[in-house]
């Protein structure tokens, strides 16, 4: 269970969402879309992040996201980890674009190194134990603060962070209720984690959606 094949986002308008993510970030095969059925309010408990090589790449992707219809939550700026910023997509999902470098070292590109699904959880240690029990290998772990798992051959990685800290990092209030409006597609069995995030078996239909 080391690979995440794709992320399914539940949205109001699937065609509009597909167009936004293609225009904003150049994402195609990494995301799937379906019509939202359950209500959701406030913070949905997760963020999605594109890690890139340099600040110029961050600026480029942030600009194209805003041009495609995203709202800026945190303008791109230097921070203790490097350089990055955050936006909210028209469907409500929160995205960050970040790099560990603080200076450009080459031509600006729109390439990204990884897409990270960062789940805001109530108990990082308990969720870490749950996912290790489901076959994930830990790549990085900082106590009860943050955990990142090995991604296998996939460009999509999973990480865990405390919910309130994740909301603060994203620039939104931590309160929220209802559906997360996200599902993780992977090759193994279907399950739901302690914080209500759903994992679904990848099928040919989900890959062709």
């Amino acid at each position: 269970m080391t690979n995440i094949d794709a992320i399914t986002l539940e949205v109001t308008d699937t065609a509009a969402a597909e167009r936004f993510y293609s225009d904003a970030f150049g994402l195609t095969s990494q995301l799937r879309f379906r019509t939202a059925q359950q209500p959701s309010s406030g913070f949905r408990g997760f963020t999605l992040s594109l890690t890139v090589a340099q600040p110029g790449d961050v600026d480029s992707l942030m600009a194209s996201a805003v041009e495609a219809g995203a709202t800026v939550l945190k303008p791109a700026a230097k921070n203790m980890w490097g350089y990055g910023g955050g936006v909210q997509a028209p469907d409500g999902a929160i995205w960050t674009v970040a790099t560990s470098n603080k200076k450009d070292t080459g031509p600006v590109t729109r390439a990204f190194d990884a897409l990270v699904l960062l789940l805001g959880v109530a108990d990082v240690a308990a969720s870490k134990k749950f996912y290790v029990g489901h076959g994930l290998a830990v790549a990085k772990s900082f106590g009860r603060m943050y955990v990142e798992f090995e991604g296998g051959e996939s460009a999509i990685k999973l990480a865990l962070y405390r919910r309130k800290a994740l909301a603060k990092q994203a620039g939104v209030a931590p309160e929220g209720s209802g559906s997360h409006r996200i599902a993780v597609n992977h090759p193994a069995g279907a399950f739901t984690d302690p914080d209500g995030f759903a994992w679904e078996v990848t099928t040919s239909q989900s890959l062709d959606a």
Side-chain angles (χ1 to χ4, degrees):
M1 204 196 101
T2 55
N3 284 358
I4 296 176
D5 293 324
I7 301 294
T8 294
L9 294 176
E10 296 184 352
V11 299
T12 302
D13 185 330
T14 57
E18 184 175 356
R19 185 167 54 251
F20 167 79
Y21 286 110
S22 177
D23 293 345
F25 301 130
L27 296 172
T28 53
S29 61
Q30 302 89 348
L31 300 177
R32 302 287 175 263
F33 307 100
R34 66 187 177 207
T35 304
Q37 301 292 334
Q38 301 297 323
S40 179
S41 64
F43 182 47
R44 296 179 188 170
F46 72 92
T47 65
L48 290 153
S49 179
L50 297 176
T51 58
V52 299
Q54 58 186 1
D57 302 338
V58 173
D59 291 337
S60 176
L61 289 167
M62 288 277 291
S64 61
V66 171
E67 185 177 353
T71 301
V72 175
L73 295 175
K74 281 195 170 183
K78 289 183 179 179
N79 54 54
M80 64 182 297
W81 306 109
Y83 184 86
V87 299
Q88 189 165 32
D91 63 83
I94 295 171
W95 287 77
T96 62
V97 187
T99 177
S100 58
N101 295 315
K102 295 185 179 182
K103 293 183 179 180
D104 290 336
T105 57
V108 171
T109 76
R110 293 177 57 75
F112 61 91
D113 299 322
L115 193 169
V116 181
L117 170 59
L118 188 50
L119 303 182
V121 300
D123 187 328
V124 172
S127 292
K128 172 186 174 182
K129 182 178 180 181
F130 174 86
Y131 279 110
V132 168
H134 278 75
L136 271 72
V138 175
K140 299 177 183 178
S141 181
F142 299 95
R144 294 179 176 272
M145 297 278 295
Y146 176 84
V147 176
E148 183 178 306
F149 297 97
E150 296 285 356
E153 297 176 356
S154 174
I156 304 174
K157 296 182 179 181
L158 175 71
L160 309 174
Y161 201 26
R162 291 178 300 175
R163 180 186 171 96
K164 288 186 177 180
L166 180 59
K168 182 178 180 180
Q169 176 181 287
V172 297
E175 293 79 20
S177 62
S179 173
H180 293 301
R181 292 195 175 176
I182 192 172
V184 185
N185 304 121
H186 71 124
F191 62 88
T192 300
D193 80 358
D195 292 273
F197 290 100
W199 288 61
E200 301 175 352
V201 178
T202 305
T203 63
S204 57
Q205 183 177 3
S206 65
L207 284 175
D208 294 337

